[in-house]
Amino acid sequence: MTLNSNFFAEKRDWSKLKDQILDHYLAPYLAKIKTTGRPTRIADCFAGKGRFDDGQPGSPLIIAQHVASILARNPALDVKAVFIEQKYATELRTNLATAANCRVIEGEYEQCVRRFLSEHVNRDRNYFFYMDPYGFKSLSFDYFARLKEVGFRSLEMLINLNSTGFLREGCRLLNLTCAVPDWADDLDFETDGKNHPARMNEVAGGDYWQAILADFQAGTLDFHQAEEKFIAGYTDRLVMHFKYVVNIPIKERSHHMPKYRLVFATDHHEGLFLMADDMHAAWRKLLEQERGGQLYLFSDEDLEALRGATIHDKVFAELQVPLHLRELLIRLIKKHGIAHTTGEYKKAIKEGEGDMFSVTRDPAKTPTGRPSLSMDHNKGRIIVSVIPQEPVLLQS
Ligand SMILES: C[S@@+](CC[C@H](N)C(=O)[O-])C[C@H]1O[C@@H](n2cnc3c(N)ncnc32)[C@H](O)[C@@H]1O
């Protein structure tokens, strides 16, 4: 197996963004998950060296730091991290030498998962899996499904999916002649010459990608549309196992389509809200830095298309019937992805309260007897509905 670049020489923008999302998610995740009172395990399945050669921390050090900080505040908590690494286990052990509750497993992810599933598995645990391989070939969909079938107390996955690399490889394997943009080559891509369409089916969770590429070949889809369709198909497969899936598309400067997707899957609405907000924040930060960086998420046109209607209109469109605030937020994120934060939606509802929207709170009063203005979707019942508007009469 060859790798075209020295991945760990310095931390590139894409890795910085992945790490930022992971870093921002873990603190609120651990704070929430500790309330379950159950053991929690974070598994970094393609862990790497722990530190880049330029000194910057990789995902293992970020995870270790979160484990250490929650343990410092709650020493009795059963929170541990496991790091699987095939090639750099020695460096990783050195870099994690002083990290509490962190274990390095030297070996192949696939073997580790098979072994894990074949042993007695303690289901009464929370698991967070971070999947960050170089390419996509190790990301067997079936393993995700089998892990999910175990029925852990909770299971969440953050998957780095090189969707463009996948489609490019698909074109090669299917001997398609249509031009795949050169830039779809990935510096980090592994080539072992042993790939075949059946293996690609295993990664994608089905053969739907072949029909998508046939449409690309026929000219009915451009590469951008093919990528969008592929990620929609992938999301559909994940949604068969997890209640909620959200992703952040990342482009490289000067190319107008996503190259990578960081895909998150969870069964818990709170996980969905946290991650969607986290991805949105990463997107905002990237937009601010965009002028100088190599990565970007959306062109101005994409941004307009993504944000589309006003936020009030988007909320309005979901309220065919009155909805619990939590359910409304879930629907909005499912439909509009990371275009807005949960805070922005709540602010829009509050701004429109009494005018566009009616908000009924139970309890209606605060403990001090004042009318409740709460927008806390976890406390009490908050039902949002549309206030019917008087028709404007032309003759009046
Ligand atoms: C993209 S790097 C991970 C970077 C890491 N997340 C970070 O932030 O520093 C992928 C790592 O997975 C390892 N790897 C590749 N295939 C593997 C496999 N099948 N099982 C375990 N580790 C693997 C590589 O040696 C490499 O260190």
Side-chain angles (χ1 to χ4, degrees):
M1 190 175 289
T2 57
L3 183 64
N4 300 330
S5 69
N6 183 359
F7 179 88
F8 290 103
E10 66 171 323
K11 196 166 173 176
R12 292 198 299 258
D13 284 359
W14 170 228
S15 290
K16 285 182 194 159
L17 190 97
K18 285 183 290 187
D19 287 354
Q20 183 196 326
I21 289 171
L22 180 70
D23 187 20
H24 287 184
Y25 184 71
L26 283 179
Y29 168 76
L30 287 172
K32 287 250 182 243
I33 214 81
K34 84 172 195 262
T35 62
T36 65
R38 310 317 314 154
T40 297
R41 301 289 178 262
I42 301 172
D44 187 351
C45 297
F46 302 85
K49 290 185 177 180
R51 195 183 284 287
F52 285 75
D53 299 346
D54 63 1
Q56 297 210 53
S59 55
L61 286 182
I62 292 168
I63 292 168
Q65 183 258 315
H66 282 283
V67 171
S69 85
I70 190 114
L71 286 174
R73 278 174 279 124
N74 312 269
L77 269 191
D78 184 356
V79 176
K80 292 181 182 161
V82 178
F83 301 92
I84 304 171
E85 171 55 45
Q86 196 172 30
K87 189 170 169 191
Y88 299 111
T90 307
E91 286 99 322
L92 183 56
R93 282 203 179 97
T94 306
N95 284 324
L96 288 172
T98 56
N101 287 13
C102 289
R103 184 161 71 102
V104 174
I105 301 179
E106 179 166 10
E108 203 195 36
Y109 151 77
E110 295 86 334
Q111 263 183 10
C112 291
V113 176
R114 282 197 295 272
R115 198 169 55 227
F116 176 66
L117 290 168
S118 68
E119 290 166 355
H120 170 73
V121 183
N122 184 349
R123 289 192 289 149
D124 197 20
R125 284 181 175 173
N126 303 299
Y127 271 92
F128 179 93
F129 281 85
Y130 182 44
M131 310 280 186
D132 182 26
Y134 288 133
F136 50 82
K137 288 186 218 153
S138 296
L139 293 176
S140 269
F141 196 93
D142 185 48
Y143 287 0
F144 304 165
R146 283 164 64 189
L147 284 166
K148 189 64 180 44
E149 272 164 25
V150 172
F152 293 113
R153 179 79 179 208
S154 72
L155 174 67
E156 299 196 342
M157 287 194 177
L158 186 59
I159 306 161
N160 174 19
L161 182 68
N162 181 341
S163 46
T164 295
F166 182 96
L167 292 179
R168 183 180 168 77
E169 175 74 343
C171 287
R172 188 185 72 80
L173 290 172
L174 299 179
N175 297 316
L176 302 187
T177 51
C178 52
V180 175
D182 283 351
W183 57 265
D185 263 334
D186 195 321
L187 287 173
D188 304 329
F189 190 69
E190 298 153 302
T191 47
D192 59 10
K194 292 187 198 142
N195 204 8
H196 46 84
R199 176 80 203 103
M200 301 286 279
N201 293 346
E202 285 167 18
V203 171
D207 60 5
Y208 58 97
W209 60 275
Q210 300 192 24
I212 294 171
L213 284 181
D215 286 346
F216 171 52
Q217 169 82 6
T220 47
L221 292 178
D222 63 25
F223 202 58
H224 182 110
Q225 292 164 326
E227 196 275 346
E228 290 272 342
K229 216 168 167 188
F230 171 62
I231 208 70
Y234 191 79
T235 301
D236 286 349
R237 264 75 191 169
L238 269 180
V239 167
M240 290 175 194
H241 304 277
F242 293 86
K243 271 192 185 165
Y244 312 118
V245 176
V246 67
N247 78 78
I248 183 168
I250 308 292
K251 303 176 176 194
E252 282 201 344
R253 180 156 282 291
S254 75
H255 305 298
H256 281 256
M257 60 170 287
K259 187 161 182 179
Y260 312 91
R261 302 265 180 168
L262 201 54
V263 182
F264 176 69
T266 182
D267 277 337
H268 205 281
H269 67 270
E270 217 48 60
L272 174 76
F273 294 170
L274 280 174
M275 185 54 84
D277 287 353
D278 185 7
M279 287 178 167
H280 180 93
W283 164 50
R284 287 254 160 228
K285 196 168 164 195
L286 209 60
L287 278 180
E288 280 159 27
Q289 298 167 346
E290 190 163 289
R291 307 291 164 227
Q294 297 158 7
L295 296 175
Y296 75 121
L297 292 110
F298 307 107
S299 63
D300 291 344
E301 307 87 71
D302 293 341
L303 183 56
E304 277 313 304
L306 185 84
R307 291 185 75 94
T310 69
I311 190 163
H312 292 91
D313 290 344
K314 287 176 187 169
V315 175
F316 196 86
E318 292 312 304
L319 289 171
Q320 305 298 325
V321 291
L323 286 178
H324 196 293
L325 177 59
R326 188 177 59 216
E327 179 57 28
L328 174 60
L329 293 172
I330 291 169
R331 289 186 188 203
L332 285 162
I333 295 172
K334 277 188 174 171
K335 190 150 169 194
H336 303 288
I338 62 167
H340 304 279
T341 63
T342 51
E344 286 176 344
Y345 286 126
K346 288 181 181 184
K347 186 165 169 263
I349 295 165
K350 263 204 135 152
E351 282 166 1
E353 190 173 347
D355 177 14
M356 276 178 101
F357 308 118
S358 156
V359 184
T360 315
R361 298 172 177 90
D362 180 13
K365 298 241 161 103
T366 66
T368 57
R370 295 206 181 127
S372 169
L373 298 174
S374 170
M375 292 298 278
D376 185 342
H377 56 268
N378 284 325
K379 287 204 185 125
R381 256 169 80 80
I382 302 179
I383 307 291
V384 187
S385 57
V386 163
I387 298 176
Q389 304 294 307
E390 292 284 328
V392 180
L393 298 177
L394 288 173
Q395 299 301 326
S396 64

